[in-house]
């Protein structure tokens, strides 16, 4: 029996993996939702508070990093180096941000041809791995 590497197991099913998510990358995808809400100035209390206290009418992408900000806002600001505006806007579907779409674009997995033969719901489990 062969043991697969964690990187291969964490790939999406259509890329030959089992669909598990890498914790750190999934956390970045979930935090990207907050970045999307802040940069689009969504109408909720938290975003209005961030805009009034930290941004003061400036864009999220151009605001300076301040040491007196809260630890969570500092963490979100640090993500600007790994996440850009075009990646975030690519994960928006019908006006809503999709963490799943962002995650799949963030890991950059390539689709493999044999994946649909293994992960198809119509294939019985005992026949999936018999060649």
């Amino acid at each position: 029996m062969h043991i697969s590497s964690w990187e291969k197991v964490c790939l999406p099913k259509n890329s030959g993996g089992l669909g598990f998510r890498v914790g750190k990358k999934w956390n970045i995808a979930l935090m990207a939702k907050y970045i999307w809400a802040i940069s689009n100035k969504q109408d909720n209390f938290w975003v209005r508070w961030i805009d009034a206290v930290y941004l003061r009418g400036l864009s999220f992408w151009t605001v300076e990093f301040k040491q007196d900000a809260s630890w969570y806002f500092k963490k979100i600001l640090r993500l600007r180096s790994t996440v850009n505006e075009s990646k975030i806007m690519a994960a928006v579907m019908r006006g809503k941000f999709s963490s799943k779409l962002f995650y799949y674009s963030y890991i950059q997995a390539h689709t493999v041809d044999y994946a649909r033969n293994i992960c198809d719901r119509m294939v019985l489990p005992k026949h999936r791995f018999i060649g």
Side-chain angles (χ1 to χ4, degrees):
M1 179 173 242
H2 298 284
I3 299 175
S4 296
S5 68
W6 185 247
E7 290 81 22
K8 288 183 182 178
V9 170
C10 289
L11 289 174
K13 289 182 180 179
N14 63 359
S15 298
L18 294 178
F20 296 150
R21 295 190 174 124
V22 180
K24 288 183 180 182
K25 292 180 181 180
W26 181 242
N27 189 34
I28 290 171
L30 293 175
M31 289 179 67
K33 187 171 190 171
Y34 291 122
I35 293 173
W36 174 76
I38 292 169
S39 64
N40 284 341
K41 310 258 191 237
Q42 253 189 344
D43 188 29
N44 61 34
F45 184 71
W46 184 77
V47 173
R48 282 185 276 155
W49 180 78
I50 291 289
D51 190 41
V53 174
Y54 296 119
L55 299 180
R56 295 186 180 115
L58 298 173
S59 170
F60 171 77
W61 303 101
T62 60
V63 72
E64 293 182 21
F65 188 84
K66 295 181 181 176
Q67 293 299 326
D68 63 340
S70 69
W71 66 271
Y72 200 76
F73 189 66
K74 287 180 193 176
K75 191 172 191 154
I76 291 175
L77 284 178
R78 283 189 194 107
L79 282 178
R80 290 187 299 187
S81 62
T82 55
V83 175
N84 59 18
E85 194 171 4
S86 62
K87 283 184 183 178
I88 288 181
M89 291 305 156
V92 176
M93 252 179 112
R94 288 182 240 143
K96 291 189 176 186
F97 183 84
S98 171
S99 299
K100 181 180 176 181
L101 282 176
F102 182 84
Y103 176 76
Y104 287 148
S105 70
Y106 188 67
I107 60 172
Q108 299 174 352
H110 301 288
T111 306
V112 293
D113 295 332
Y114 63 84
R116 64 183 168 89
N117 295 332
I118 296 173
C119 296
D120 187 12
R121 65 185 176 126
M122 298 302 288
V123 177
L124 295 174
K126 72 177 189 178
H127 298 291
R128 287 184 182 168
F129 296 101
I130 299 174

